[in-house]
Amino acid sequence: NMSSFIVKFLLENFKNKGHTIYLDSYYSSPLLFEFLLENGFDAIGMVNTNRKGFSDDCKNKKMQKDTEEYYRKGNILLVKY
């Protein structure tokens, strides 16, 4: 999508230099986080669970108040609260 393209374009000259990227929910997705990890970036950010790349067990799941859930896919960790 266009938001991922923008992030990839802006970071093209900074690959594999150990930078950490902070993203807001408009730009972030599990697929973008995988791309960033593969290209030497760490990434932190809010993500909407309706984005592509989330497993069904973490989408649209009602949670109790004051609880957390953790999901892992390779080296990517999702904390839902």
Side-chain angles (χ1 to χ4, degrees):
N1 63 22
M2 184 56 82
S3 61
S4 292
F5 174 78
I6 292 168
V7 173
K8 292 175 184 179
F9 177 77
L10 291 173
L11 298 176
E12 183 63 35
N13 295 325
F14 300 99
K15 290 181 179 178
N16 298 309
K17 295 187 179 179
H19 295 290
T20 300
I21 309 302
Y22 296 87
L23 299 164
D24 122 330
S25 62
Y26 178 78
Y27 294 98
S28 59
S29 72
L31 300 175
L32 178 60
F33 284 138
E34 288 175 0
F35 170 83
L36 292 172
L37 187 61
E38 291 169 1
N39 287 279
F41 296 99
D42 291 324
I44 300 170
M46 303 283 288
V47 183
N48 293 324
T49 55
N50 61 354
R51 293 284 181 108
K52 287 183 182 178
F54 281 108
S55 62
D56 289 336
D57 61 337
C58 71
K59 285 184 177 182
N60 303 322
K61 185 177 178 184
K62 296 230 178 201
M63 294 178 56
Q64 298 292 329
K65 187 176 178 179
D66 298 325
T67 61
E68 306 92 31
E69 292 183 8
Y70 302 92
Y71 301 92
R72 184 170 204 90
K73 182 179 179 184
N75 287 329
I76 297 175
L77 175 67
L78 167 72
V79 179
K80 188 174 179 181
Y81 59 94

